[in-house]
């Protein structure tokens, strides 16, 4: 195993920010996008780390995303806050509206953020983790592209539709889970294809509905929901709540709008923030202390909490730098020198 290059988190963030600025993304948005991409790499979430730079640059180069869009926050004073991403990235839109979302949730107990017309490439954990870090419980979800067959079917209809939850903890990292409602994220299958590795059984079927472990065949066929009919139903809920309910694209329309899955999708997103203190106020109990009784019992039976692996990877990256292979570092250098025109980019 070759020794990886260890890049300090702040250095990688600055370099990725410059790559996006050079591609015409406004500085605030470039910083916001770079933060999320580098956080993915820092936390060893490779399917939404630096591998996503290329996809983002491609959609900008195709003129299908607005790097210069300035997110517009619309506040009617009610529980539902809207931010229009104007065809730009979801991340700066979230950053622009987050303080208002958190304040409204504390005021009323519950508030929702609707992100409209955004380019969405990222993991969701950073959103719920940020809100949980502010003492709020949070849910985040969005459609993606119709790559996933419903349980019992064989044709793509649902998206890989990520779903994330965060819960605040005292003196600990928040409890956070974040997953695709398909067996794996599509990015994970693409990384298997690039590495020439088969995918595990049960992730996908070919175009005729037969099981496959060939990532290429899987990408051309249909991915499968996790947990059979249960995952299929949760994925459907994500389509309805963060697509139909918002008046934004569902995964099938998102795919049609972009003319296929070659470019990252544009659609809406829904983030809910809840203040546990408001919900528990009349009970006289401390919701965070009550939650701890559950969460602190996992380790005793050898179970781990979701995000525990991620937080351990984060600690290692912060202490020693983010490990990148020679090929990954060379690609960053090529993007810095030539942007998307870089040979082999
Ligand atoms: P994983 O299956 O890798 O992980 C899902 C969650 O389960 C994580 O919180 C993970 O924590 C936790 N987990 C994994 N193993 C265990 C275990 N043994 N015990 C307890 N918890 C565990 O995620 P996916 O491949 O489904 O999704 C990866 C990412 O892709 C997500 O961040 C998602 O948001 C993103 N995505 C984005 C899409 C988009 O449209 N923008 C579409 C689809 C996915 P840990 O990280 O610590 O292992
Ligand atoms: O990995 O499934 C995925 C995905 C779709 C859009 C962004 N990530």
């Amino acid at each position: 195993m070759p020794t990886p290059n260890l890049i300090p988190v702040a250095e990688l963030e600055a370099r990725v920010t410059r790559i996006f600025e050079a591609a015409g993304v406004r500085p605030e948005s470039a910083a916001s996008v770079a933060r999320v991409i580098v956080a993915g790499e820092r936390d060893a979430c490779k399917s939404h780390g630096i591998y996503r730079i290329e996809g983002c640059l491609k959609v900008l180069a195709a003129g299908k995303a607005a790097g210069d869009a300035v997110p517009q926050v619309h506040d009617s004073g009610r529980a539902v806050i809207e931010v229009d991403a104007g065809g730009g990235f979801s991340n700066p839109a979230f950053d622009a509206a987050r303080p208002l979302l958190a304040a409204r949730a504390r005021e009323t107990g519950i508030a929702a953020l609707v992100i409209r017309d955004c380019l969405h490439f990222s993991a969701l954990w950073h959103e719920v983790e940020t809100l949980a870090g502010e003492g709020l419980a949070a849910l985040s979800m969005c459609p993606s592209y119709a790559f996933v067959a419903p349980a019992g079917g064989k044709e793509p209809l649902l998206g890989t539709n990520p779903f994330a939850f965060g819960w605040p903890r005292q003196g600990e990292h928040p409890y956070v889970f974040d997953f695709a409602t398909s067996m794996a994220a599509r990015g994970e299958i693409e990384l298997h294809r690039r590495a020439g590795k088969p995918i595990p059984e049960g992730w996908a079927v070919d175009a005729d509905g037969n099981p496959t472990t060939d990532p290429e065949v899987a990408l051309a066929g249909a991915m499968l929901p996790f947990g059979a009919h249960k995952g299929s139903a949760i994925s459907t809920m994500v389509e309805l709540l963060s697509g139909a309910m918002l008046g934004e694209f569902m995964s099938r329309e998102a795919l049609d709008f972009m003319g296929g899955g070659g470019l990252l999708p544009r659609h809406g997103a829904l983030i809910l923030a809840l203040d546990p203190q408001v919900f528990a106020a009349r009970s006289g109990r401390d919701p965070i202390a009550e939650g701890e009784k559950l969460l602190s019992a996992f380790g005793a039976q050898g179970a781990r909490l979701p995000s525990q692996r991620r937080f351990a990877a984060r600690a290692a990256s912060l202490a020693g730098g983010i490990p990148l292979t020679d090929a990954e570092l060379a690609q960053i250098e090529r993007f810095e020198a030539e942007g998307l025109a870089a040979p082999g980019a």
Side-chain angles (χ1 to χ4, degrees):
M1 195 72 151
T3 315
N5 307 283
L6 293 171
I7 315 297
V9 175
E11 179 191 321
L12 189 59
E13 214 173 281
R15 292 174 70 172
V16 175
T17 301
R18 282 196 296 273
I19 290 171
F20 279 100
E21 284 179 358
V25 178
R26 66 192 267 273
E28 296 86 339
S29 299
S32 186
V33 169
R35 240 188 332 272
V36 170
I37 285 180
V38 173
E41 201 64 36
R42 177 200 67 196
D43 286 14
C45 296
K46 299 290 284 186
S47 71
H48 291 79
I50 57 165
Y51 140 71
R52 291 286 171 180
I53 297 173
E54 182 184 353
C56 292
L57 294 181
K58 273 189 180 156
V59 76
L60 288 164
K64 296 268 194 168
D68 57 353
V70 181
Q72 303 293 324
V73 178
H74 300 277
D75 180 17
S76 62
R78 293 154 64 133
V80 179
I81 296 156
E82 298 187 32
V83 56
D84 193 343
F89 290 98
S90 64
N91 320 99
F94 173 73
D95 289 346
R98 184 192 50 75
L100 181 59
L101 173 68
R104 187 65 40 82
R106 280 198 204 91
E107 191 185 318
T108 61
I110 183 165
L113 177 65
V114 175
I115 304 184
R116 295 205 174 280
D117 189 18
C118 60
L119 177 76
H120 207 295
F121 72 89
S122 58
L124 303 185
W125 55 258
H126 64 98
E127 295 165 347
V128 295
E129 189 183 316
T130 305
L131 291 164
E134 296 184 59
L136 299 168
L139 291 157
S140 178
M141 65 192 89
C142 69
S144 59
Y145 274 155
F147 291 135
V148 182
K154 61 178 185 183
E155 280 164 30
L157 180 63
L158 302 165
T160 49
N161 301 354
F163 186 56
F165 170 71
W167 176 264
R169 300 186 70 189
Q170 211 95 56
E172 302 274 355
H173 286 299
Y175 173 89
V176 172
F177 72 70
D178 175 21
F179 49 72
T181 48
S182 43
M183 283 295 287
R186 192 163 180 88
E188 199 58 56
I189 299 186
E190 172 60 16
L191 289 176
H192 277 74
R193 188 191 68 77
R194 290 182 185 196
K197 292 199 297 201
I199 56 170
E201 279 176 25
W203 281 19
V205 291
D206 68 16
D208 298 320
N210 303 309
T212 183
T213 58
D214 180 334
E216 195 109 39
V217 173
L219 292 170
M223 298 169 67
L224 293 174
F226 83 95
H229 58 286
K230 300 181 186 182
S232 192
I234 293 176
S235 180
T236 306
M237 176 195 76
V238 171
E239 294 278 349
L240 295 173
L241 287 180
S242 57
M245 187 173 85
L246 309 187
E248 293 285 326
F249 288 156
M250 287 189 269
S251 294
R252 218 177 199 176
E253 291 168 286
L255 194 59
D256 292 344
F257 175 76
M258 279 295 190
L263 296 173
L264 290 163
R266 258 169 77 167
H267 45 67
L270 178 66
I271 297 149
L272 303 176
L274 302 89
D275 186 344
Q277 302 299 342
V278 175
F279 279 83
R282 290 186 62 249
S283 75
R285 300 171 88 181
D286 174 1
I288 306 306
E290 294 302 317
E292 261 340 279
K293 291 179 189 165
L294 173 70
L295 300 176
S296 61
F298 274 62
Q301 53 176 288
R304 78 152 164 100
L305 295 177
S307 293
Q308 214 167 303
R309 176 203 64 87
R310 204 165 56 71
F311 291 136
R314 178 183 305 180
S317 296
L318 289 172
I322 299 178
L324 295 187
T325 63
D326 288 347
E328 287 169 333
L329 192 55
Q331 193 188 43
I332 296 278
E333 284 162 1
R334 287 200 301 273
F335 282 140
E336 286 174 323
E338 301 172 62
L340 198 56

